[in-house]
Amino acid sequence: MSFATSNLTVGDVGLEGATILDLQQAFTTGALTSETLTRFYLQRIERLNPDLNAVLFVNPSALLDARHSDERRRSGRRLSPLDGIPVLLKDNIATAGMPTTVGSYALLHADPADDAEVVIRLRNAGAVILGKANLDEWAGYRSVDVVSGWSAVGGQIRNPYVLDRDPWGSSGGAAVAVSAHLTTVAIGAKTDGSLMNPAGANGVVAIQPTVGLVSRRGIVPVCPAQDTAGPIARTVTDAAIVLSVIQSGRGAPVDASMVSHPRGLVSGPGSLHAKRIGVWLPRGGGGSLPEAMVAARDQLLEEAVATLEANGATIIRGIDLNVDAAVELSRAVGLVELKAAINRYLGSRTGPCPADLEALIAFNDEHAEREMPLFGQDVFHAAQDMQGDPTDAAWRDQRRAVTDMARMVVDEALRRHHLDAIVAPTNTPSLPPLDRAGIQSARPSAIAGYPAISVPAGLAFGVLPVGLTFFGGPSTEQELLMMARAFEQVTAARRAPTFRPQLQSPAQ
């Protein structure tokens, strides 16, 4: 059985280069139906997921929902550009009638009664909920020694470019599924780098919205000041379309037509003309990277910056974004917030599941062979030992100070250099998951609650994806989308996964 993705077709539509707009055109002409597309993905999941572990559950109603979309289209009642489009959801997003486990067996038999707000918006738009994606268990917040892409329910997610490499987390399953054509688009979620990192490592696009633009209701919380859902797609156009559907909160709404049009692009290379773009090269990130990996990442960044400059952008190098003080200040308040968030969430779940964090810790201890074969729950223990209420004035002030410190760092860089955006490499080329070495270029915008977009920038060693992240001030999604789409258009850097079992060179 071939894993090849570069020449995939369904209903005479080439999927690798097709956007949601192309699929809708095929639906309209009758060249394709939502049912045919949905069936194709379900069959592909059945064949490939045993090797990728990207999908935890499929929706038993997916084909029926697709048929309903086809019926609406035949009667001229298309609901939105997402009508009939298959969407996979990270498994920390509540979905009625399906498990929402966060990768933990503790929640396997406690299905949520209601949809998350994001899911309601997708259903109202006619999207076909395809299923739930694997993730870092508890979004990677159970232990400092978390293995990226692993959950007790789903096992180890595998990077589709090189199967023994890190898929990054915690939205790794969603990013792998999009990249490997197990779905058209997906919804991931982040607290820190959980949207940007897996997008970069798996050769796809992700948008981290301004916190508050997308509702968090029904999404398993970690840190309310930083949590948000966001779209993962193969193109900026598709990511923008999804964001335009799921947005609901404060902030400037995204107009997807600015980066997409049935007859071509409204945006183009000219979207970079006269833009002032700063370049930030973060260092470190936990672990020791081989020099060849660092050199490959830096070379791809240089090529990306040269492309921006060649298309009219003014480049300002040497941007300094040090949020170490904010990270350090957030440690204690983050544990208090985590404990309160998990207690509140578990207390709202119905069915058989732990009542609070203390009971969850006990469950994991009791089922240690299944839940903790690779790493423990030291972060859970540290959070449980914390005393305090994050709604108290002192804790609120501390969280506000953390957010303000990160915002000050980003805002000052933008102001001082009169920047329209800052770019940074999204990720370093992936190592095996246990190595956990890399950079955290998403951290300043994530802590500040600011938007960011990761776009494929190229392949290190010709096989491992590296992304380029664009980020800026609050509610600048529209401007960032225009620049990211222009970069995508002139580089066409995404390449389909190759599903290699491993790389041979130890330097890689």
Side-chain angles (χ1 to χ4, degrees):
M1 186 270 296
S2 173
F3 282 17
T5 56
S6 57
N7 297 312
L8 279 181
T9 59
V10 57
D12 295 327
V13 176
L15 290 183
E16 176 59 26
T19 67
I20 288 171
L21 300 176
D22 296 322
L23 295 175
Q24 290 292 351
Q25 180 65 18
F27 290 161
T28 299
T29 63
L32 183 65
T33 65
S34 176
E35 181 179 359
T36 299
L37 182 62
T38 301
R39 190 183 303 278
F40 170 86
Y41 284 131
L42 291 173
Q43 292 173 345
R44 192 165 170 84
I45 290 169
E46 185 176 1
R47 292 197 306 271
L48 270 63
N49 198 58
D51 294 281
L52 296 175
N53 289 334
V55 179
L56 289 181
F57 313 103
V58 295
N59 179 9
S61 300
L63 283 174
L64 179 61
D65 294 342
R67 291 186 197 111
H68 289 162
S69 174
D70 292 332
E71 291 169 2
R72 285 194 298 273
R73 186 171 288 100
R74 285 191 291 269
S75 63
R77 295 184 295 113
R78 194 187 80 167
L79 298 177
S80 83
L82 277 188
D83 202 342
I85 300 298
V87 180
L88 193 69
L89 306 173
K90 183 176 179 179
D91 196 39
N92 65 345
I93 301 173
T95 312
M98 294 186 66
T100 299
T101 69
V102 207
S104 170
Y105 276 101
L107 298 180
L108 187 58
H109 302 293
D111 294 357
D114 301 310
D115 284 331
E117 179 65 28
V118 166
V119 182
I120 293 173
R121 289 180 173 273
L122 289 169
R123 291 195 198 276
N124 289 343
V128 175
I129 305 302
L130 196 62
K132 307 299 287 292
N134 199 2
L135 71 166
D136 292 12
E137 184 166 334
W138 287 99
Y141 279 85
R142 201 184 76 189
S143 171
V144 295
D145 295 320
V146 60
V147 174
S148 178
W150 184 89
S151 76
V153 174
Q156 179 62 55
I157 305 166
R158 296 187 177 93
N159 189 309
Y161 288 83
V162 182
L163 296 175
D164 73 341
R165 295 302 169 115
D166 192 347
W168 284 82
S170 62
S171 300
V176 168
V178 171
S179 188
H181 289 276
L182 306 186
T183 183
T184 304
V185 292
I187 306 296
K190 73 90 189 175
T191 298
D192 198 353
S194 295
L195 279 163
M196 299 295 98
N197 291 343
N202 294 287
V204 292
V205 175
I207 302 176
Q208 169 188 291
T210 301
V211 169
L213 180 63
V214 175
S215 171
R216 294 166 295 194
R217 187 184 68 79
I219 299 175
V220 179
V222 172
C223 171
Q226 295 179 208
D227 293 343
T228 184
I232 298 175
R234 285 182 293 275
T235 67
V236 174
T237 293
D238 285 0
I241 290 171
V242 175
L243 181 57
S244 71
V245 168
I246 65 174
Q247 63 190 359
S248 61
R250 64 179 183 274
V254 168
D255 179 2
S257 69
M258 295 299 289
V259 292
S260 61
H261 191 276
R263 297 185 180 277
L265 296 169
V266 175
S267 67
S271 299
L272 295 170
H273 182 69
K275 298 297 185 184
R276 291 178 60 84
I277 299 177
V279 181
W280 177 48
L281 184 57
R283 298 292 182 181
S288 177
L289 283 167
E291 290 184 6
M293 306 286 274
V294 175
R297 177 201 68 194
D298 292 353
Q299 177 62 33
L300 285 170
L301 175 63
E302 285 303 313
E303 292 172 4
V305 169
T307 297
L308 295 172
E309 197 164 27
N311 284 275
T314 299
I315 300 299
I316 296 87
R317 296 178 178 274
I319 300 300
D320 182 24
L321 298 175
N322 188 339
V323 293
D324 290 350
V327 172
E328 184 63 30
L329 182 62
S330 71
R331 296 190 191 282
V333 68
L335 291 173
V336 171
E337 289 168 336
L338 179 64
K339 178 181 179 179
I342 291 179
N343 285 344
R344 184 171 61 253
Y345 178 77
L346 291 175
S348 71
R349 289 290 293 258
T350 58
C353 70
D356 54 21
L357 179 58
E358 183 177 19
L360 176 61
I361 291 170
F363 178 95
N364 291 337
D365 285 336
E366 184 179 352
H367 301 86
E369 184 176 349
R370 173 180 281 181
E371 282 287 340
M372 299 189 291
L374 300 177
F375 56 92
Q377 51 182 340
D378 47 283
V379 172
F380 277 4
H381 279 293
Q384 180 60 28
D385 290 343
M386 293 296 292
Q387 301 297 319
D389 182 347
T391 64
D392 289 346
W395 290 107
R396 288 202 313 271
D397 289 346
Q398 190 170 4
R399 168 50 63 185
R400 190 177 301 112
V402 169
T403 304
D404 288 348
M405 288 173 70
R407 289 178 176 175
M408 188 180 303
V409 168
V410 178
D411 292 347
E412 175 60 18
L414 294 168
R415 183 197 62 77
R416 179 185 302 171
H417 301 287
H418 307 287
L419 301 177
D420 295 289
I422 299 170
V423 296
T426 305
N427 60 298
T428 48
S430 290
L431 293 167
L434 286 171
D435 287 2
R436 293 184 292 110
I439 56 174
Q440 286 287 358
S441 60
R443 183 154 285 165
S445 58
I447 298 175
Y450 287 174
I453 302 173
S454 180
V455 186
L459 298 176
F461 316 111
V463 66
L464 290 171
V466 173
L468 183 71
T469 291
F470 292 77
F471 62 99
S475 300
T476 55
E477 282 86 349
Q478 197 74 62
E479 294 82 358
L480 296 174
L481 280 166
M482 298 286 283
M483 287 181 271
R485 182 62 184 95
F487 176 79
E488 176 188 63
Q489 182 183 8
V490 297
T491 60
R494 172 175 155 82
R495 295 292 181 270
T498 50
F499 301 95
R500 297 190 187 188
Q502 60 186 17
L503 292 182
Q504 300 303 318
S505 170
Q508 300 170 1

